[in-house]
Amino acid sequence: MDPRPVGVFDSGVGGLTVLHECLVTMPHEDFVYLGDHARLPYGPRPLPEIRRYAREIGAFLQAQDVKLILVACNAATSAALPELQAELSVPVVGVISPEAHTAVQATRSRRIGLLATQATVEAGRYAELIHALDAGAVFVPVACPRLVPLIEADAPAEDILDAVREYAAPLKDADVDTVILGCTHYPLIEPIVKRVFGRDVTLVFSAVETAREVEETLRRKRFENDAEREGSYRFLTTGDPDAFRAQGRRFLLFPIDDVEHVTLDELEAVLA
């Protein structure tokens, strides 16, 4: 039995959609979640900058005595997963590999689309993984810079629908039959995305598969907690704790009470 918590981080509250699946899959485990709201969004930032942020947060969470770190952010996974796995002494799991694997299994035409942030598209990690699994697959990535700000702001559905239609157009033109929702914010607008693409297109957001990978990693490492207990969860943010609490409930679908504030100086000091 290993009572240490699992560390989870994202640029904001989008990763709470992944944490939700972890809480359902592993109700006996403890979790600590850090949202880097002070530097949100990651998507438009240069990859080296995102990599530095991820390395700071990874080192900070490791110092919190976590037993595994889940990078619940597609941009941070794309930019920094190999570096985190090399530098940290605890296992590190990202969200991209489970999604790529699910998409290759799901597609019938071998034509796969991606909706993601600019940084995730530029990193090219999805393309590498998909073509490693199926070298003949056609892969069409589309950057969606407007979506995360709209979702974070809880914008009117009409505004989100217009943006999704714009970003979906090149994927429809490419006749894809499977679309990866390559950002942890996007499950919040899944009904709108389904409306735009229709029932013949499979949407892939593999929070369930990611949670399963975390569970299997803990089992292989013998890091599991006592299965008979009820786990807890703790929240940290570099932004406004009250805003995190109010916004986070919409993403997590569970209560959020106390939220602790972490300063950027505290994060930056870990690597100094």
Side-chain angles (χ1 to χ4, degrees), residues 82-164:
E83 287 80 6
L84 292 172
Q85 291 174 333
E87 293 174 5
L88 301 178
S89 61
V90 297
V92 184
V93 174
V95 291
I96 288 180
S97 181
E99 290 175 341
H101 186 265
T102 300
V104 170
Q105 287 186 321
T107 183
R108 303 173 302 281
S109 66
R110 301 170 73 196
R111 303 181 72 84
I112 299 169
L114 169 70
L115 298 177
T117 64
Q118 187 69 43
T120 299
V121 169
E122 287 181 1
R125 186 62 178 151
Y126 276 104
E128 294 172 6
L129 289 169
I130 285 170
H131 289 138
L133 294 166
D134 181 358
V138 174
F139 180 63
V140 185
V142 175
C144 310
R146 293 166 55 203
L147 285 184
V148 167
L150 287 170
I151 295 167
E152 287 268 346
D154 198 15
E158 294 80 6
D159 294 347
I160 296 174
L161 179 60
D162 288 344
V164 172

Side-chain angles (χ1 to χ4, degrees), residues 41 47 54 62 83 96 99 145 191 208 210 231 246 251 256 259 271:
L47 290 171
Q62 181 169 268
E83 287 80 6
I96 288 180
E99 290 175 341
V208 174
T210 301
F251 286 73
I256 294 178
V259 180
L271 293 181

Side-chain angles (χ1 to χ4, degrees), residues 13-21 23-24 187-188 190 205 207 233 235 244-257:
V13 292
L16 294 174
T17 58
V18 182
L19 177 61
H20 173 89
E21 293 300 333
L23 294 174
V24 171
L188 269 290
E190 188 173 1
F205 172 71
Y233 45 91
F235 299 99
F244 180 101
R245 186 182 303 109
Q247 192 178 42
R249 290 171 180 149
R250 183 164 60 101
F251 286 73
L252 185 64
L253 303 177
F254 284 114
I256 294 178
D257 296 320

Side-chain angles (χ1 to χ4, degrees), residues 9 11 36 39 41-57 71 73-81 84 117-120 122-123:
F9 77 88
S11 59
D36 192 11
R39 300 184 289 201
Y42 281 8
R45 296 183 182 275
L47 290 171
E49 191 171 41
I50 299 171
R51 189 172 300 119
R52 176 167 58 84
Y53 295 167
R55 291 178 60 234
E56 290 173 357
I57 295 171
V71 187
C73 173
N74 298 72
T77 300
S78 299
L81 186 63
L84 292 172
T117 64
Q118 187 69 43
T120 299
E122 287 181 1

